[in-house]
Amino acid sequence: MSFDVEVKRIVRLGANFQRITFAGACLSDFGISGETHDLRIKVIVPCVEAEGTSLPLPDLSELSAGWYQDWLKLNPATRGCMRTYTVRGARCTGPEPEIDVDFVLHFDEDGNGGPASSWAAAAQPGDRVCIIGPNAAQCVTAEAYGGIEWRPGMARHVLLAGDETAVPAITAILESLPEDVTGHALMEIPSTADRQPVRTASGVQMIWLARGNRPHGELLDAAVRQTVALPGWASVETADGVPFRQRPALSEPEEINVDEAILWETPQRLDPAAVQATPNPHAPSGALPFYAWIAGEAAVVRGLRRYLVRDVGIDRKQVAFMGYWRKGRAES
Ligand SMILES: Cc1cc2nc3c(=O)[nH]c(=O)nc-3n(C[C@H](O)[C@H](O)[C@H](O)COP(=O)(O)OP(=O)(O)OC[C@H]3O[C@@H](n4cnc5c(N)ncnc54)[C@H](O)[C@@H]3O)c2cc1C
């Protein structure tokens, strides 16, 4: 469903993050039942003419079930640019419904950003965008909704890892976790000035990795390898007493060319009863149930996928790998 909304508030969260709160009466129809976790939406920002003037968005209120095909048929010069974002907060049940989206302000060395990043950096209260998101009237639950990938199932030990584009999702997930969940949240951010206060009832340890001038993903990759360290995992015996690494090779992940395909590999929702009945035979005893959620630049995520699945041998059904963006490629 599409929502025609306007910018209500703008808050600078850190050196490279801008929180934009969108409001509009139509948002009372937005949402899912329960926590939003990493709920993704499409944000359509206005096209900008050569002189920098924003063109008004066309009326997108008629976009329905086949909204994407409908939108593609519109004039590319005026239909706006569609990008994917996370709902960082949603307050849609009161008299003034609103949602927060945290935009990373990314610009290259020449100061050029993508359409969404540029729009967010220049946004003013009253500016309008269109959001494509779930319709609350259909009472979709997080379990049933395809736009949420956080599916820990029975897991009580988790790994969340991502770059700045995944910080809105990771922090929203952390805020929703109950006390008995432990693990690590590894977040690579451009600078120390991008750390954000996060409240979680869980025992998950938050680790902020300020990149500075290092290559994108270097710190995140190292931190994941340290957190899920090979000797530790490999020496753990499984329930039947066989050391983990002596098992025949588990699944070798097929190569994904992140320049041509989207890296998006997420487990199906687990039926808790089925999980209890048949514990995973390939995972180390004591470490189960474990679940990992990894998102960020596609090549970095691909490297972590290879490490966790091939080298460590973690069951792919317990890890979500998501390329949120690709270096050098605009989202299309
Ligand atoms: C499910 C999902 C949820 C997401 N949630 C968020 C979110 O909450 N907040 C958020 O900021 N982003 C989020 N992203 C990432 C966001 O969609 C991309 O960063 C997107 O490319 C930004 O659009 P743009 O118009 O600014 O840049 P584009 O036009 O898409 O790209 C222009 C250039 O900028 C580069 N680029 C894109 N993103 C970055 C970046 N972060 N850092 C450096 N260079 C970049 C591209 O490689 C390209 O060269 C999410 C993506 C997905 C798939």
Side-chain angles (χ1 to χ4, degrees), residues 125-139:
D127 287 354
R128 303 198 78 84
V129 301
C130 176
I131 285 175
I132 310 281
N135 180 351
Q138 291 172 350
C139 236

Side-chain angles (χ1 to χ4, degrees), residues 85-144:
Y85 281 87
T86 304
V87 173
R88 177 62 182 85
R91 298 168 295 283
C92 295
T93 49
E96 295 184 13
E98 52 186 39
I99 64 171
D100 301 324
V101 177
D102 292 356
F103 290 82
V104 175
L105 306 179
H106 65 89
F107 295 94
D108 63 20
E109 41 298 339
D110 300 322
N112 298 316
S117 179
S118 304
W119 176 88
Q124 296 291 327
D127 287 354
R128 303 198 78 84
V129 301
C130 176
I131 285 175
I132 310 281
N135 180 351
Q138 291 172 350
C139 236
V140 188
T141 62
E143 272 302 300

Side-chain angles (χ1 to χ4, degrees), residues 40 83-86 102-104 106 114-117 164-165 168 264 323-331:
R40 64 177 176 269
R83 297 290 185 264
T84 312
Y85 281 87
T86 304
D102 292 356
F103 290 82
V104 175
H106 65 89
S117 179
E164 56 267 43
T165 61
W264 200 270
Y324 268 18
W325 63 284
R326 177 71 182 112
K327 198 168 187 177
R329 291 285 172 107
E331 185 182 337

Side-chain angles (χ1 to χ4, degrees), residues 160-205:
L160 292 136
D163 67 11
E164 56 267 43
T165 61
V167 165
I170 293 177
T171 50
I173 290 168
L174 284 170
E175 285 177 1
S176 73
L177 292 181
E179 287 171 15
D180 62 340
V181 175
T182 58
H184 295 84
L186 312 174
M187 291 172 274
E188 186 180 297
I189 45 176
S191 75
T192 49
D194 289 308
R195 289 173 63 130
Q196 299 172 19
V198 186
R199 302 175 82 151
T200 180
S202 74
V204 175
Q205 188 187 353

